[in-house]
Amino acid sequence: MSEKADIALIGLAVMGQNLILNMNDHGFVVCAFNRSVEKVDSFLKNEAKGTKVIGAKSLEEMVKTLKKPRRVMMLVKAGSAVDDFIIKLVPLLEKGDIIIDGGNSEYVDTTRRVKECAEKGILFVGSGVSGGEDGARYGPSLMPGGNPAAWPAIKPIFQGIAAKADNEPCCDWVGDGGAGHFVKMVHNGIEYGDMQLICEAYHLMKCALNMDNSEMSKVFEEWNKGVLDSFLIEITKDILKFKDKDGKYLVEKIRDSAGQKGTGKWTAIAALDYGMPVTLIGESVFSRCLSSLVEERHKASELLKGPPTTEFKGDKKKFLDSIRQALYASKIISYAQGFMLMREAAHLYNWNLNYGGIALMWRGGCIIRSVFLGNIKTAFEHNPKLTNLLLDPFFNDAIQKSQAAWREVVATAAVLGVPTPAFSTALAFYDGYRSKRLPANLLQAQRDYFGAHTYELLNEPGKFVHTNWTGHGGNVSASTYQA
Ligand code: 2AM
């Protein structure tokens, strides 16, 4: 077969199929392949009928259709399937050819694959792909990272098919190694946070303000016209008013036990590994865990008493707007934390991350797309060296303006007994982050008391000393101990 395909795509599940059709729409010739080869024929006869897409029945045949340098993209199940394909592909490729993994791989696997492939002369790219089926079909957010030598060859395809926001593609080179998949992972973690915050707002509207679904839907519709304008607020508006066949609101019939596939958990694990206080995503993961303890909660609900009523007795209209402000302020904290995690990983792995570019990649196409991300992009454009989003004048000002309402919501929710873990942890983080002095002095003293872990004195930083607090037990310090 002549070398006519611009790119090959392996993996004909919905995401893969839709990406192929998207590439085809943008004038690229794609060669499709799948482990179960019968899916290739079926795809060509159905979804890809009338397009320029070609199919291959074997990897050998697929490789022969490709222009050089060959570009092979995989959208297969994360894990061993990716490694299996790499093993099969490498002998069929030449130096300078490119393998792209567009699946939901863990960034450490991507880092390893980039290195292993580079040793064989193959350029490996791990790309975050976000936006679900619709995004893949009409414009996803793409976060490619890995071997930078691959970027010029894949840039026209990737930026061509990506979503556009403010006339710019939601796709740029992220960084070396597993940077692309790392950034995608943080995106998913932030998505967990955004969803949890919206759920807490809904919970307060329902339990504290006794609002019905139609009223709540209208409120989200209003909120979607302002600073909270985002895909997730928009779908929440639709979900809340959606009625089942019997005329009742469907969302109220859904079992309140949250599932998860793991990317939020990975973000929280990375945060713990790198010592970054990404508390809101952590709380969001734990909130899902707590929700899934349905039977235990049912038992506890009969035994563990809270305040007599969850109903808010004050100015309801004002409180509703306070919830909006609490959501906005908490969201700012969540993104600030997410960017702190990326900054730390960039530091550890020597990635030269472009934070404004990342905000732009998330600005359109993906689940967390929002107007808000445009503000983040602007903040990093004003100051690419910004150490924390909270220090940007726009966000600092936004927090100042919403702070009183945010505190009112957290305090009121505590008094009423309505759980708001994400609103609350965001506020606790804010107060911790802005504290010149925290009580860790006492903590250090405790550690030194029971474990001789030593402490530093304020006026002698860098010098670790131990005190014999009790007058017995010796003066030995545990100098090898690392927090
Ligand atoms: P299949 O159609 O042959 O199952 C999403 O599941 C995609 O990943 C599908 O294209 C699927 O191929 C592919 N896939 C899943 N596990 C795989 C494996 N172990 N090896 C190769 N492809 C796999």
Side-chain angles (χ1 to χ4, degrees), residues 10-14 33-39 75-78 80-82 84-85 88:
I10 303 174
L12 294 181
V14 188
F33 180 73
N34 194 64
R35 174 182 61 170
S36 322
V37 188
E38 64 277 6
K39 279 199 192 159
L75 266 134
V76 297
K77 201 166 159 228
S80 59
V82 177
D84 290 349
F85 271 119
K88 286 181 191 146

Side-chain angles (χ1 to χ4, degrees), residues 6 21 33 41 87 180 276 298 374 377 420 426:
D6 296 297
L21 297 174
F33 180 73
D41 271 342
I87 290 168
M276 280 294 116
H298 283 192
K377 177 175 165 267
T420 53

